Amino acid sequence: AEKKGRVEFRDVTFKYPGAEAPVLSNISFTAEPGKTLAIIGSTGAGKTTLVSLLPRLYDVASGDVLLDGVPVTKMDASEITSRVSAVPQKPYLFSGTIEHNLRFGKPEATDEELWDALETAQAKGFVEEKSSGLNRRIAQGGTNVSGGQRQRLSIARALVTKPNVYLFDDSFSALDVATDARLRKALKAKTRDATVIIVAQRVSTIADADEILVLDNGRIVDRGTHDELLETSPTYQEIVES
Ligand code: DCP
Ligand code: MG
């Protein structure tokens, strides 16, 4: 069967409500199942805005966002949430146990699925280190765990739902380089059939992506693989050197 989760942006322009100028202009790209698409660019470039258009946190001003050829504006919210898992830049954990937090998108998940997701997200050791395990209490907003732990639990939560499309918005930035690399390797093995879209700050996080979009001031200024961009993109070179 055809793999699901093809994401296509067609000439997308977006303005925040009440704003004069668009924050995204003429964005076109395709992200395919089994592939990783990365988005990099300076702060304020529009990366978070771009990835928020697929789960319809906002709707485009013009152009189309399509999932397997269907505009997301024509899809049920529940269909989008069952097929797209987004790990937000500031992941939110709610008051309750780790288990509650992990089952959020898939209440029927088995314990085995939860542990499997934790292992991939490099969070298994952290959950095992207390005897309460999955029943450990998380404070509202996840204030009793570190930023990196919040990110990893939030990644595990996304994995539990087994979506067609993963959106990781700067999800690896609070991790040390070695954990980042281990996590992405495990992730790659677990998300082989899915479409993975990664927003990143660090070039090392995305150097192995199938395609990288360089976003600047709401526009895709360059695109290609890491090696291609090193040759062709001054903006990318600047990020590499920063
Ligand atoms: N913006 C806005 N209203 C919002 C969110 C953002 O007007 N609710 C503006 C601020 C920026 C632009 O949109 O000028 C793009 O913001 P993004 O959050 O999309 O930018 P990035 O995700 O690229 O920035 P960062 O790397 O800091 O996360
Ligand atoms: Mg952002």
Side-chain angles (χ1 to χ4, degrees):
E2 188 99 327
K3 287 182 190 170
K4 286 195 164 173
R6 185 172 190 272
V7 174
E8 189 181 354
F9 276 53
R10 267 190 210 153
D11 204 19
V12 165
T13 294
F14 173 78
K15 268 184 215 181
Y16 278 101
E20 296 267 301
V23 291
L24 294 173
S25 303
N26 308 108
I27 302 291
S28 294
F29 66 87
T30 304
E32 300 280 354
K35 301 253 160 108
T36 299
L37 177 88
I39 302 165
I40 199 161
S42 56
T43 179
K47 305 179 296 295
T48 295
T49 306
L50 194 161
V51 293
S52 70
L53 298 177
L54 182 64
R56 287 192 69 193
L57 302 183
Y58 298 98
D59 280 334
V60 302
S62 68
D64 272 307
V65 176
L66 305 119
L67 180 55
D68 290 320
V70 180
V72 290
T73 47
K74 300 228 160 83
M75 293 171 69
D76 284 351
S78 63
E79 188 181 355
I80 300 173
T81 26
S82 71
R83 301 191 49 202
V84 178
S85 263
V87 179
Q89 190 166 14
K90 296 213 161 48
Y92 188 76
L93 300 180
F94 50 82
S95 160
T97 63
I98 287 179
E99 179 176 350
H100 288 142
N101 272 279
L102 291 180
R103 281 191 205 280
F104 178 69
K106 194 186 179 193
E108 72 278 18
T110 63
D111 279 9
E112 198 188 338
E113 288 176 304
L114 302 188
W115 283 111
D116 194 48
L118 286 167
E119 185 167 24
T120 305
Q122 309 298 306
K124 195 174 171 215
F126 158 70
V127 178
E128 279 176 338
E129 98 201 351
K130 293 253 166 81
S131 60
S132 48
L134 289 172
N135 293 318
R136 177 150 152 205
R137 306 292 305 179
I138 300 290
Q140 184 171 355
T143 50
N144 60 341
V145 301
S146 76
Q149 285 155 351
R150 270 202 293 280
Q151 280 190 325
R152 280 177 280 173
L153 289 173
S154 179
I155 291 164
R157 174 196 277 164
L159 284 161
V160 167
T161 66
K162 300 196 174 73
N164 300 142
V165 184
Y166 289 93
L167 301 176
F168 296 108
D169 189 353
D170 208 13
S171 301
F172 312 107
S173 59
L175 308 175
D176 61 81
V177 173
T179 308
D180 176 2
R182 264 203 316 277
L183 197 160
R184 282 180 302 100
K185 189 170 174 223
L187 203 58
K188 210 163 192 163
K190 286 287 168 184
T191 60
R192 210 161 269 154
D193 292 332
T195 303
V196 178
I197 299 179
I198 296 182
V199 171
Q201 301 275 356
R202 271 202 295 256
V203 165
S204 67
T205 304
I206 55 153
D208 60 353
D210 296 289
E211 187 179 24
I212 301 166
L213 308 179
V214 183
L215 207 62
D216 189 25
N217 207 4
R219 290 176 187 275
I220 299 174
V221 291
D222 292 302
R223 63 176 82 204
T225 62
H226 174 74
D227 288 341
E228 287 164 359
L229 290 169
L230 283 179
E231 294 290 321
T232 60
S233 172
T235 315
Y236 192 73
Q237 286 157 13
E238 250 173 59
I239 297 167
V240 171
E241 283 155 19
S242 67

